[in-house]
């Protein structure tokens, strides 16, 4: 990353100590959802987020994730949220609808609430692709949630 003289630059901060995080996990495609959740919570632990500061909500599938995120965000209790789930292509147009609407819902909640949300809803062509990506994506979401929570706090403190 470039350094700029006389310009304040926000630096990435992956210290999760003291952060409160909520995870919404869609149960559809359960094996993939479990892999995402396991990788995410393991990475949160490595980043210093206390297990008592993490809460997990499960919902039936990807289309229900945004509503649960919205409810959690409205409590003011969380520094960041994580959306986890899997939408795997089938033989119908339903894949596009679920993929697009769940992503739009997650983004809308994030922008409307001001609570950062790491979007870990995988959208893949096959079970194999989802299984291949679930561990990396779950861990990535943990890092995104911690970094964005810290960034929001730093921006608030600087004001």
């Amino acid at each position: 990353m470039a350094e700029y003289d006389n310009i304040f630059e926000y630096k990435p901060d992956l210290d999760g100590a003291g952060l409160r995080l909520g995870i919404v996990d869609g149960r559809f495609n359960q094996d993939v959802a479990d892999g995402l959740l396991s990788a995410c919570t393991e990475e949160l632990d490595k980043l210093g987020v206390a297990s008592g500061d993490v809460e997990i909500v499960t919902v039936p599938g990807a289309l229900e994730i945004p509503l649960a995120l919205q409810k959690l965000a409205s409590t003011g209790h969380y520094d960041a949220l994580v959306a986890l789930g899997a939408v795997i292509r089938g033989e119908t147009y339903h894949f596009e609808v679920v993929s697009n609407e769940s992503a739009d819902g997650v983004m809308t909640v994030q922008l409307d609430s001001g609570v950062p949300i790491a979007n870990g809803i995988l959208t893949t062509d096959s079970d194999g692709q989802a299984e291949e990506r679930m561990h990396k994506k779950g861990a990535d979401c943990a890092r995104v949630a911690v970094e964005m929570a810290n960034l929001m706090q730093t921006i608030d403190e600087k004001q």
Side-chain angles (χ1 to χ4, degrees), residues 69-89:
L69 289 168
Q70 182 183 51
K71 191 67 165 178
L72 292 176
S74 74
T75 68
H77 179 73
Y78 302 95
D79 298 304
L81 299 169
V82 178
L84 300 175
V87 183
I88 300 171
R89 186 178 300 279

Side-chain angles (χ1 to χ4, degrees), residues 16-90:
L19 295 178
R20 296 164 300 160
L21 301 177
I23 301 171
V24 178
D25 189 30
R27 294 185 305 268
F28 201 80
N29 297 307
Q30 185 75 54
D31 290 343
V32 175
D34 289 346
L36 286 160
L37 183 58
S38 173
C40 182
T41 56
E42 184 178 308
E43 187 68 15
L44 288 173
D45 183 58
K46 289 178 186 175
L47 297 173
V49 179
S51 60
D53 289 335
V54 178
E55 294 182 1
I56 300 167
V57 174
T58 65
V59 296
L63 289 176
E64 293 77 29
I65 291 171
L67 180 59
L69 289 168
Q70 182 183 51
K71 191 67 165 178
L72 292 176
S74 74
T75 68
H77 179 73
Y78 302 95
D79 298 304
L81 299 169
V82 178
L84 300 175
V87 183
I88 300 171
R89 186 178 300 279

Side-chain angles (χ1 to χ4, degrees), residues 5-155:
D5 292 335
N6 301 317
I7 298 175
F8 180 80
E9 184 178 356
Y10 293 94
K11 304 285 187 180
D13 180 356
L14 292 174
D15 180 3
L19 295 178
R20 296 164 300 160
L21 301 177
I23 301 171
V24 178
D25 189 30
R27 294 185 305 268
F28 201 80
N29 297 307
Q30 185 75 54
D31 290 343
V32 175
D34 289 346
L36 286 160
L37 183 58
S38 173
C40 182
T41 56
E42 184 178 308
E43 187 68 15
L44 288 173
D45 183 58
K46 289 178 186 175
L47 297 173
V49 179
S51 60
D53 289 335
V54 178
E55 294 182 1
I56 300 167
V57 174
T58 65
V59 296
L63 289 176
E64 293 77 29
I65 291 171
L67 180 59
L69 289 168
Q70 182 183 51
K71 191 67 165 178
L72 292 176
S74 74
T75 68
H77 179 73
Y78 302 95
D79 298 304
L81 299 169
V82 178
L84 300 175
V87 183
I88 300 171
R89 186 178 300 279
E91 296 179 11
T92 67
Y93 180 71
H94 186 67
F95 170 83
E96 282 80 6
V97 171
V98 175
S99 298
N100 292 338
E101 295 304 319
S102 63
D104 182 60
V106 170
M107 184 59 69
T108 298
V109 172
Q110 178 175 231
L111 294 174
D112 287 352
S113 69
V115 177
I117 301 172
N119 187 347
I121 303 173
L122 290 174
T123 54
T124 63
D125 288 326
S126 68
D127 292 333
Q129 285 179 347
E131 290 166 6
E132 215 173 272
R133 291 168 172 78
M134 65 185 177
H135 296 293
K136 182 177 182 332
K137 188 60 157 179
D140 286 348
C141 284
R143 289 188 295 275
V144 167
V146 168
E147 180 177 338
M148 290 302 294
N150 285 326
L151 176 61
M152 296 299 103
Q153 288 179 357
T154 301
I155 290 171

